[in-house]
Amino acid sequence: MIAYYEKREALPPGHVLSSLAEALSITVDELVGNEPAAKPSRRSSASRRLQRRLQQLEKLPLKDR
């Protein structure tokens, strides 16, 4: 689902944004880029690993995402 939204073919509904933000232990504002991401130290190690992985995926060319 995340890959679907990353392709910008559709926008996630509001209730999905809050679920994604909760899963990543960030605020919705951080998720959509309205606020800078908080320091990683307040997140769990699993969230930090997921965040690093998502950042790696963002660096890939669109066709490889």
Side-chain angles (χ1 to χ4, degrees), residues 7-64:
K7 290 181 182 179
R8 305 208 189 275
E9 294 176 4
L11 297 173
H15 72 280
V16 173
L17 286 175
S18 61
S19 297
L20 286 172
E22 183 179 341
L24 295 170
S25 299
I26 60 174
T27 66
V28 173
D29 283 332
E30 289 173 313
L31 182 65
V32 298
N34 290 339
E35 289 181 4
K39 294 180 181 179
S41 61
R42 84 171 206 208
R43 298 184 190 143
S44 71
S45 62
S47 292
R48 287 191 299 264
R49 285 193 307 270
L50 179 57
Q51 183 66 31
R52 280 195 304 270
R53 184 67 176 139
L54 289 172
Q55 289 170 343
Q56 290 171 344
L57 292 173
E58 286 178 347
K59 292 177 184 177
L60 292 174
L62 284 175
K63 67 179 183 117
D64 294 334

